[in-house]
Amino acid sequence: MGNPSLASRPHLPTLRAVLQRPLFNRAEILAGREFLDAPVRWVHVGEIPDIATYLRGQELILSTGVGLRQPRDRLRYLEQLSYCKVTGICIEPGRYLHRIPDDMVRRAGQFGLPLIVFHESVRFVDITQDVHALILQNEQHVLEQLHALGEELHGLAALAQPANRIIERLATWLERPAVFLDDRGGMIAAGPPEVVRELERRSRVMLGQMHPNHTIYPDLPFREEGTYVLSRRVGGATPFGLIASTAEGDDRVATGMALDLAAAALGPGLGRERHPGLGWDRAGTSLVRDLLLGRRVPPPDLLGALVRRGTGSGLPAQVVVMRARSPEVDADSLAVSLQDWLASQGVHCLTTPWEGEVAAVILDPPPSTALRGVAQMMAGGRWSSGGAPLQLGFSRRTVLRGLPNALREAEQVLSLCDMRSAPQSPFYEELGALRLLLGLHNDFDLEAFCDDELGAVLKHDRIHGGGMLATLQALLDTPDRSQAAQALRVHRQTLYYRIRRLEVLLGDDFLSPERRLALQLALRARNLVQGR
């Protein structure tokens, strides 16, 4: 119980604190002076106007202005920085940008974005090392304490009355009230009674609005300005519960991670209490999660009990993520049932509930043909009597140390299942060009690409309703114009007229190999964005 509380830990440095470092002695603030108390999570050198892909928020951006010589590039650059909620931008004028243009200062002020200029040459690598050392000192300390908290909560889950112990320890660590509510109306709480009552009231409202597939819910304002209620789901579809606490400022990140740890510790106990015959192995669940997150590789003899070939981190493995089409199916029960059924099919795996879904690590995977047959049975609901049809995503084959990347691949495949034109195959290696598009995690870039390639056609269809997008799709799907006309159910003369209109909208080379590829990718990207 010796972990320090969250309140005793340092926060991320603010931009104001960073600007007081010696390397910023000759820096001047040109805009956004009132926003200097924002936290700096990272330092990033960014020169290109289309920078949003590489940002996550709260970065301090360093630039020489190499891509900012044109007003439209400066506007797009600042728009994207504001959209990504960066903390500020520092520019060193010189060869590419001799002075900071007035339009850039004005726009930065409008966006509430601190704009800093260096009046003397400063090596960006020195700034990066200096600020990152400051950030990492704080971040490492918090992560170490969170890891220790997770180990402690994991141990408490095995004791008598685990929920009471977990909530009490969580509240002590956070120095904030903590509340756990289950779906039968029960409550466990720790903290000052008057604050607990208000937190309970807010939490019961959220519990009544919980969606079966959601594990994290939006932060809601609490009593004091700048304070929020954070909550996490505990358990699967049934039984389930909600754990909540309060946080403010930078504490919200660490508080959310602590709630995740507490929810993970509470979940298995909730299921065993309600269904004592289920017998789900919490230690086994922890092992699978550690494998998927790359936290450890178990000793060879542990996995050798399941398979006789391969050793250590080089053991062949594959990940599949599964989701029942019906929200009524409980992920905890599904994980147990699927592990038993897959074993009966010769597929040796370890399963775990995973954010409302089920993730499985397949050890020493069978041949692709056998696995494809198993996938068809699961997708069709033929994996057990009364089995629910499943949506599936399979990664490529890898080894144990490659499981974190395999998990991302499987989740990407599963994310496509709800698209209107979902791929036929649940296997990542069979996605074709969609693999390139899935690598772009920012919908802003995909939408911009679609607009560049298809914008004229989409605008024409919105105004005239002429079916040009469908015509373009048919022409790209088949080089035979007779077949394209049949697919569209139009006369060939109508198709020729539409082709001439497409040449006006897209250029007369739109069916050349290079343009054809770009348009096909744009059509798939549009489906991908709309399906997310």
Side-chain angles (χ1 to χ4, degrees):
M1 300 291 181
N3 290 347
S5 68
L6 179 61
S8 69
R9 282 182 285 276
H11 298 279
L12 288 172
T14 64
L15 179 57
R16 188 185 305 277
V18 169
L19 294 179
Q20 293 172 357
R21 309 287 289 183
L23 290 169
F24 290 84
N25 284 343
R26 291 288 295 159
E28 179 185 1
I29 304 166
L30 299 183
R33 187 177 296 271
E34 61 271 35
F35 300 102
L36 298 184
D37 292 319
V40 177
R41 189 168 298 280
W42 208 243
V43 179
H44 191 85
V45 179
E47 305 284 7
I48 59 174
D50 296 317
I51 194 175
T53 303
Y54 308 99
L55 302 178
R56 298 180 62 183
Q58 297 186 328
E59 293 94 346
L60 178 61
I61 305 300
L62 307 178
S63 173
T64 61
V66 61
L68 306 177
R69 284 177 279 191
Q70 298 299 321
R72 64 177 181 275
D73 292 334
R74 293 194 290 269
L75 174 60
R76 181 173 176 80
Y77 187 70
L78 293 175
E79 282 179 337
Q80 293 200 28
L81 294 183
S82 175
Y83 173 78
C84 293
K85 294 181 172 57
V86 305
T87 295
I89 174 174
C90 301
I91 298 179
E92 181 181 303
R95 176 180 177 183
Y96 305 107
L97 198 66
H98 302 298
R99 56 178 293 274
I100 307 300
D102 293 339
D103 66 284
M104 195 168 187
V105 177
R106 184 175 64 256
R107 289 288 189 179
Q110 291 172 351
F111 291 136
L113 182 65
L115 175 60
I116 296 101
V117 60
F118 290 109
H119 291 301
E120 287 184 355
S121 178
V122 182
R123 294 202 316 166
F124 284 177
V125 65
D126 293 338
I127 295 176
T128 301
Q129 291 177 347
D130 181 58
V131 180
H132 282 179
L134 186 63
I135 294 169
L136 289 175
Q137 178 182 348
N138 301 332
E139 293 281 359
Q140 183 63 30
H141 188 69
V142 173
L143 290 174
E144 288 173 356
Q145 297 303 328
L146 280 166
H147 177 74
L149 175 66
E151 293 292 325
E152 188 175 350
L153 296 180
H154 187 80
L156 292 175
L159 302 178
Q161 296 183 317
N164 300 69
R165 298 170 183 268
I166 289 170
I167 295 302
E168 289 174 3
R169 181 64 192 117
L170 178 67
T172 301
W173 194 86
L174 293 174
E175 289 195 349
R176 292 277 185 174
V179 167
F180 170 64
L181 303 172
D182 66 27
D183 56 348
R184 292 183 174 179
M187 183 186 79
I188 300 172
E194 67 280 3
V195 184
V196 165
R197 281 194 294 271
E198 177 66 14
L199 181 58
E200 177 194 358
R201 186 182 68 81
R202 299 287 188 92
S203 300
R204 289 199 184 279
V205 172
M206 290 187 288
L207 183 67
Q209 298 173 346
M210 291 183 82
H211 187 281
N213 292 330
H214 293 173
T215 57
I216 300 177
Y217 295 83
D219 300 348
L220 300 177
F222 196 52
R223 300 192 303 180
E224 304 90 357
E225 183 178 355
T227 304
Y228 293 83
V229 177
L230 282 68
S231 61
R232 296 293 188 269
R233 186 188 186 93
V234 178
T238 180
F240 69 91
L242 177 141
I243 186 171
S245 185
T246 63
E248 61 184 26
D250 294 334
D251 287 348
R252 290 164 67 180
V253 176
T255 299
M257 296 174 72
L259 286 173
D260 287 332
L261 294 171
L266 285 167
L270 184 66
R272 287 195 301 272
E273 177 187 341
R274 196 74 55 85
H275 303 293
L278 187 61
W280 181 234
D281 181 7
R282 177 171 54 81
T285 299
S286 176
L287 169 63
V288 184
R289 289 180 173 272
D290 285 349
L291 288 172
L292 291 172
L293 296 173
R295 291 196 288 236
R296 61 173 172 167
V297 173
D301 55 345
L302 180 59
L303 298 177
L306 291 173
V307 289
R308 299 301 179 189
R309 202 174 63 193
T311 58
S313 60
L315 179 72
Q318 192 168 0
V319 173
V320 56
V321 181
M322 298 160 279
R323 178 173 61 216
R325 295 181 182 273
S326 169
E328 303 301 321
V329 178
D330 173 32
D332 294 306
S333 302
L334 184 62
V336 178
S337 301
L338 280 170
Q339 179 163 314
D340 293 341
W341 180 82
L342 286 168
S344 72
Q345 302 298 308
V347 180
H348 302 290
C349 67
L350 299 169
T351 63
T352 181
W354 189 268
E355 299 181 358
E357 299 161 353
V358 173
V361 175
I362 302 174
L363 303 167
D364 197 13
S368 298
T369 52
L371 204 55
R372 189 169 285 105
V374 169
Q376 290 173 352
M377 294 176 70
M378 289 193 291
R382 294 179 283 114
W383 57 275
S384 70
S385 59
L390 303 178
Q391 294 176 325
L392 309 165
F394 285 84
S395 73
R396 292 175 294 178
R397 292 167 184 252
T398 182
V399 292
L400 288 182
R401 58 177 172 268
L403 287 178
N405 286 332
L407 174 64
R408 283 191 289 272
E409 292 178 356
E411 288 180 325
Q412 286 177 342
V413 178
L414 190 65
S415 71
L416 302 176
C417 288
D418 293 326
M419 288 173 50
R420 282 180 291 182
S421 56
Q424 297 297 313
S425 173
F427 293 91
Y428 182 84
E429 63 266 26
E430 297 176 4
L431 291 183
L434 278 175
R435 288 169 56 179
L436 297 175
L437 302 178
L438 285 168
L440 298 174
H441 300 290
N442 192 298
D443 283 353
F444 182 87
D445 288 339
L446 288 178
E447 289 172 357
F449 173 59
C450 294
D451 186 64
D452 289 344
E453 296 295 333
L454 303 173
V457 177
L458 295 172
K459 181 178 179 181
H460 180 279
D461 280 1
R462 281 196 303 269
I463 297 173
H464 303 288
M468 289 297 167
L469 188 67
T471 302
L472 177 62
Q473 180 74 70
L475 290 169
L476 295 174
D477 286 344
T478 174
D480 189 303
R481 296 188 178 180
S482 297
Q483 293 181 7
Q486 291 177 4
L488 293 166
R489 297 184 180 180
V490 300
H491 194 274
R492 287 188 64 179
Q493 294 303 320
T494 302
L495 177 64
Y496 292 145
Y497 166 76
R498 292 185 182 182
I499 291 173
R500 289 194 293 273
R501 289 297 302 156
L502 287 171
E503 288 175 344
V504 173
L505 296 170
L506 299 173
D508 55 12
D509 65 338
F510 79 95
L511 290 177
S512 65
E514 183 175 349
R515 290 299 310 283
R516 176 187 288 271
L517 176 60
L519 291 167
Q520 287 173 327
L521 288 173
L523 287 168
R524 284 163 173 76
R526 183 169 180 267
N527 288 335
L528 180 60
V529 171
Q530 290 180 335
R532 285 180 174 173

